[in-house]
Every structure is written in C-alpha cells, then in structure tokens.
Amino acid sequence: KRPVKSTDFKEVVYASEMTSRDEEGFKHFLEFLKPFNPDCLHLLIVNTGSFFKQPHMLAKESLKKFESLAKDYNCKSHFYSDYSIESGIRHFAEEQNIDLIGISNLHSSAIKRIFQGSVVEMLVNHSDLPVYVVDYPRK
C-alpha cells in the first residue's frame, strides 16, 4: 500500500497452515526470494485456538517438510498464538524484526470471505511492512 523503502530483506517470514495445498505458493515465494538472499526465513503457523486447526504433531511434521523445501535458506520454524491469524503474523513480525511478510492467497468462495473475512486483505491493510502475496487458485 506504500512504496517499499528498502529491498534489504534480511529477516523474512512466510505464514501459512503449511499443508500440502500451501506447497505450490511456498515454492513461488522461494523463487521470489532468491535475488534477495535473506539471512533467515521464518516459517510461521499461527494458532488461534480454533477448533478446526490441525493437531500440533501434524503441524510440526508439516513444518519439517516446508523446511526441506527451503533447504537453500537458513530456516526457523515457529508456532505463535494470538487471537487472530492476521494479528499473530503482525505481532510475530514486530517481535522478530521482520523485513518482509510472505503469505499465500488460496482463492476461497465469496460466501466464505463475507463471513470470515480475508486474512490477506486484513494483513495488507494493517501491516506497515511489505507483504508479498502469492495469489493462485485452489486445485
């Protein structure tokens, strides 16, 4: 929403549920990152206490898989708890001095967006950091 002041993206976070449907977007994000050569790529799953989240053990396994996809980068995996996904990403980014936020935008139905809202839209509207959105349709 504002011009990027610097492209010195040393600390980068990619936030998602880290499920198999997120892999394609993550691979696109890794391609985007290559010329920036970040010092650290943080992989983030935000826990909101929602009943429909994947179990912790499955999430840990998913993070390991995503770490292996990003083998060319120094990766750190994180679980972060907050009252919403969007606020969790922003609070994590502030605490870790993140320079760039990456997130995938799986296209969901208009009805779902009306009732749940869009995490991506809220993140872009409320974050002061650059947000790179990988936009792709669900298979």
Side-chain angles (χ1 to χ4, degrees):
K1 65 183 176 186
R2 290 186 200 107
V4 177
K5 293 179 183 174
S6 171
T7 57
D8 190 26
F9 302 134
K10 294 301 178 192
E11 297 289 324
V12 176
V13 64
Y14 185 81
S16 100
E17 292 179 356
M18 306 295 168
T19 63
S20 59
R21 68 184 193 153
D22 297 312
E23 286 181 31
E24 183 181 345
F26 183 61
K27 289 175 184 175
H28 287 289
F29 184 68
L30 293 175
E31 280 297 313
F32 169 79
L33 275 185
K34 280 184 182 179
F36 300 104
N37 194 27
D39 291 340
C40 187
L41 170 57
H42 300 269
L43 302 177
L44 177 65
I45 294 177
V46 177
N47 179 16
T48 61
S50 171
F51 181 74
F52 296 105
K53 294 291 179 188
Q54 63 178 326
H56 187 76
M57 291 304 296
L58 290 178
K60 281 178 78 169
E61 289 301 314
S62 295
L63 282 168
K64 286 181 186 177
K65 183 172 185 176
F66 276 71
E67 285 178 7
S68 70
L69 291 172
K71 62 185 178 295
D72 296 336
Y73 297 92
N74 174 30
C75 283
K76 293 181 183 177
S77 295
H78 307 271
F79 291 97
Y80 193 89
S81 295
D82 212 315
Y83 66 90
S84 74
I85 294 171
E86 176 261 332
S87 64
I89 296 168
R90 285 188 304 109
H91 293 147
F92 176 85
E94 290 169 12
E95 290 174 12
Q96 297 292 323
N97 295 315
I98 298 296
D99 302 306
L100 174 69
I101 298 170
I103 190 168
S104 61
N105 187 24
L106 289 170
H107 291 212
S108 58
S109 72
I111 300 284
K112 184 178 176 185
R113 281 200 323 264
I114 289 170
F115 291 109
Q116 289 185 332
S118 168
V119 172
V120 172
E121 287 177 32
M122 289 186 288
L123 185 60
V124 169
N125 288 333
H126 297 121
S127 178
D128 291 328
L129 295 173
V131 178
Y132 182 81
V133 180
V134 180
D135 201 16
Y136 64 97
R138 199 178 280 177
K139 288 183 179 179

